[in-house]
Amino acid sequence: MDWLLPGWGAFALLRRNLLVWRKLLLPSLLGNFVDPLLYLLALGYGLGHFVGQMQGMPYITFIASGIVASSAMNTATFEGLYSAYTRMAVQNTYLSILATPLQIGDIVAGELLWCAVKGAISALAIILVASLFSAIDWRWQVLLALPVIFLTGFSFGAIALLFTALSRSYDFFMYYFTLAVTPMFLFCGVFYPLHTLPAFAQEIAAILPLTHAVALLRPLLTGQTPGQVLLHVLVLLAYAVLGYLLAAYLLRRRLLS
């Protein structure tokens, strides 16, 4: 089982992805800034004009903190699906890496670290844009949000990489987006409090990872103290660990069988 445990090779893979990404640095960062700007203008200001206050804060502040969590989810998911699949099945990068001393655990851990880094970059871009609109204040709690953002990206990257290991084409990812990512984006507290949902929907939302990411990040980004911190962190960790283990097993079976 030595192949399952990552080593320093994971950071080598992280560095490799970073060097490749540098070629697309400007358009990638531009997208990270433009997308949240559109959300804040269309929903924060447009819809917020009619909503007013929500949970004791302006709606633009409420939605900005939720979009930070959803952006970490979306960016990490995209990296764990499309980018990772390209490296695995199209470019055969993973097979080339396995010809070196690196093992499956290094590949999976390195990819998940990269998903977490990309998710953090996207989330920080939104925090910066939101602060320009005074939707988020740069208080000391924002620093505490950084490890939560990183954990969120790692967790969703692990789930995405699991689906990548199962996929036989890019088209397969539409099932995951339609049945998982989009429902979480709409029903996990990004745009409105969960208590407005029917009871059965609240119970479903309670087991989804984005719900726990929002529950941690919204208070931290609005100067409040989150509740049930241990529960939220453990849920995100559970998704991260289970996703890592399953992705490593499935990738090893796919690449080395």
Side-chain angles (χ1 to χ4, degrees), residues 66-86:
I67 291 175
V68 168
S70 66
S71 180
M73 172 188 73
N74 288 330
T75 303
T77 297
F78 188 92
E79 285 296 319
L81 293 177
Y82 291 96
S83 299
Y85 183 84
T86 300

Side-chain angles (χ1 to χ4, degrees), residues 183 186-189 192-208 211:
L186 296 175
F187 300 113
C188 285
Y192 50 82
L194 289 180
H195 65 76
T196 60
L197 293 172
F200 76 92
Q202 294 183 43
E203 294 176 358
I204 295 174
I207 64 175
L208 299 176
T211 299

Side-chain angles (χ1 to χ4, degrees), residues 39 43 63 66-67 69-71 73-74 177 180-192 208 210 214:
Y39 274 113
L43 299 177
I63 194 175
I67 291 175
S70 66
S71 180
M73 172 188 73
N74 288 330
F177 274 103
V181 176
T182 300
M184 281 192 285
F185 183 59
L186 296 175
F187 300 113
C188 285
V190 173
F191 300 104
Y192 50 82
L208 299 176
L210 185 60
V214 172

Side-chain angles (χ1 to χ4, degrees), residues 54-186:
M54 184 168 287
Q55 290 189 334
M57 67 185 75
Y59 185 64
I60 190 172
T61 299
F62 182 91
I63 194 175
S65 53
I67 291 175
V68 168
S70 66
S71 180
M73 172 188 73
N74 288 330
T75 303
T77 297
F78 188 92
E79 285 296 319
L81 293 177
Y82 291 96
S83 299
Y85 183 84
T86 300
R87 289 187 282 272
M88 177 190 70
V90 179
Q91 299 174 340
N92 290 321
T93 304
Y94 291 172
L95 289 176
S96 299
I97 292 173
L98 289 174
T100 73
L102 272 66
Q103 301 191 62
I104 289 293
D106 299 313
I107 294 176
V108 175
E111 289 285 13
L112 297 189
L113 287 173
W114 177 238
C115 289
V117 169
K118 285 296 297 293
I121 292 173
S122 179
L124 287 174
I126 295 178
I127 293 174
L128 179 59
V129 171
S131 66
L132 296 177
F133 288 91
S134 300
I136 292 177
D137 293 331
W138 280 91
R139 306 175 183 178
W140 64 270
Q141 290 98 327
V142 173
L143 297 178
L144 295 179
L146 298 182
V148 177
I149 291 171
F150 193 87
L151 176 59
T152 300
F154 197 96
S155 299
F156 280 102
I159 301 170
L161 200 60
L162 165 61
F163 278 86
T164 294
L166 292 170
S167 178
R168 296 299 171 181
S169 71
Y170 292 107
D171 296 333
F172 182 80
F173 299 145
M174 291 306 301
Y175 292 107
Y176 180 59
F177 274 103
T178 301
L179 299 176
V181 176
T182 300
M184 281 192 285
F185 183 59
L186 296 175

Side-chain angles (χ1 to χ4, degrees), residues 16-38:
R16 179 260 174 206
N17 289 348
L18 179 61
L19 292 175
V20 173
W21 177 68
R22 287 194 312 177
K23 301 177 182 178
L24 303 172
L25 179 63
L26 292 180
S28 178
L29 290 179
L30 181 62
N32 288 335
F33 279 92
V34 172
D35 286 345
L37 179 61
L38 295 177

